[in-house]
Amino acid sequence: MEKTVIELFAGVGGFRVGLNNVRGFDKNGKAIEERDWKFVWANQWEPSTTMQPAYDCYKIRFGEECLNVNIQEVNKKEIPDHTLLVGGFPCQDYSVARGLSGEKGIHGKKGVLFWEIAEILTKKKPPFVLLENVDRLLKSPSTQRGRDFGIMLRTFADKGYNVEWRVINAAEYGARQKRRRIFIFAWKKGTNYNKKIRR
């Protein structure tokens, strides 16, 4: 299976840095990628601002395959085929920083962007998916704790995926800050990986 990737809500390329073990940059500022994951498409767009520094950084470090457009306006059928979809979908509507009175969860302006991922799963059917978000996603919304995450898990199941998830604290892996994040790994039920996994 070819190791092709698309990166959604790419920021400055965090998933790409990890997957391809980026440890430095050449004299032109381009990332030196030590592994062979082939990133065929990426998207980074920050609404309500003319400045797009994260996109600018991604483009300098990795190249032209990153688009700076609203993912809601992208024709999902035109996204290249890929074996792995990765993304740190926007967390503001789930984050503790917003406060209980301001939380919007999966119905918020950015929370609804999860459905863009779901649409890509429908149109492109990638075998594997790896997503990241704040750990408060598990408790969103506060008035119906776990509802939003339950909706997401059900969405994966309805689209033919099995799912595993873990909350990981970056401090336990050498980072200098306590940064708890949920990682969601999903895979198509028809893959060889699914057949080999222990039940």
Side-chain angles (χ1 to χ4, degrees), residues 1 82-84 124-129 161 186-188 191:
M1 182 180 290
H82 51 281
T83 54
L84 174 64
K124 305 305 294 188
K125 299 177 173 53
F128 300 99
V129 182
Y161 289 84
W187 64 92
K188 274 287 193 182
T191 60

Side-chain angles (χ1 to χ4, degrees), residues 50-117:
T50 55
M51 301 286 288
Q52 297 287 323
Y55 164 76
D56 293 338
C57 179
Y58 194 105
K59 189 175 177 182
I60 291 168
R61 298 301 192 201
F62 299 110
E64 301 293 330
E65 63 270 12
C66 189
L67 299 182
N68 183 225
V69 296
N70 184 345
I71 190 67
Q72 294 173 304
E73 297 173 2
V74 172
N75 183 340
K76 308 307 187 286
K77 290 182 179 179
E78 294 179 359
I79 294 174
D81 291 340
H82 51 281
T83 54
L84 174 64
L85 180 156
V86 300
F89 59 106
C91 66
Q92 289 89 339
D93 286 319
Y94 309 109
S95 175
V96 70
R98 174 148 290 189
L100 298 182
S101 63
E103 68 175 356
K104 303 292 183 183
I106 204 165
H107 300 297
K109 185 176 181 180
K110 292 191 174 182
V112 297
L113 293 175
F114 171 77
W115 299 113
E116 302 303 312
I117 297 170

